[in-house]
């Protein structure tokens, strides 16, 4: 807390009492915009990750179905050979 008071006093002396509120307001807006941008980026990364996971899951399901179809084909061929 004492460090913040020292920083505030130095800012008040250097910047002046009339421009300090404008500077603080601008700084607040900048931080809010930065937070909004980082939240958007996080959301985009999560969506991409979920899409990649779903794509991988679908690919595995297709591969499993292809394996099952191949096994059924082999069984059918063996039955025809035996008959």
């Amino acid at each position: 807390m004492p460090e913040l008071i020292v920083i505030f006093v130095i800012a008040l002396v250097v910047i002046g009492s009339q421009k300090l509120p404008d500077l603080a307001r601008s700084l607040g807006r900048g931080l809010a915009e930065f937070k909004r941008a980082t939240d958007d980026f996080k959301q985009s990364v999560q969506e991409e990750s979920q899409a990649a996971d779903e794509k991988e899951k679908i690919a595995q399901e297709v591969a499993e179905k292809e394996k099952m179809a191949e096994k059924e084909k082999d069984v059918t061929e063996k039955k025809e050979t035996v008959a």
Side-chain angles (χ1 to χ4, degrees), residues 70-83:
E70 187 67 33
K71 286 181 182 180
E72 288 178 11
K73 182 180 174 185
D74 289 344
V75 168
T76 305
E77 288 176 357
K78 288 180 182 178
K79 285 181 181 179
E80 289 175 358
T81 305
V82 171

Side-chain angles (χ1 to χ4, degrees), residues 13-82:
V13 169
V14 172
I15 296 172
S17 62
Q18 293 182 354
K19 291 196 176 198
L20 189 61
D22 292 335
L23 180 65
R25 194 175 303 115
S26 297
L27 182 62
R29 287 181 186 152
L31 289 174
E33 181 64 30
F34 180 75
K35 183 178 179 184
R36 202 169 317 134
T38 55
D39 289 343
D40 288 344
F41 178 74
K42 286 179 185 178
Q43 184 177 1
S44 296
V45 169
Q46 284 180 336
E47 288 173 358
E48 289 293 324
S49 176
Q50 288 175 351
D53 290 344
E54 287 182 23
K55 186 176 180 181
E56 184 178 325
K57 181 180 176 182
I58 290 171
Q60 287 176 349
E61 289 175 0
V62 168
E64 287 175 9
K65 287 182 180 181
E66 287 177 353
K67 285 180 183 179
M68 291 185 75
E70 187 67 33
K71 286 181 182 180
E72 288 178 11
K73 182 180 174 185
D74 289 344
V75 168
T76 305
E77 288 176 357
K78 288 180 182 178
K79 285 181 181 179
E80 289 175 358
T81 305
V82 171

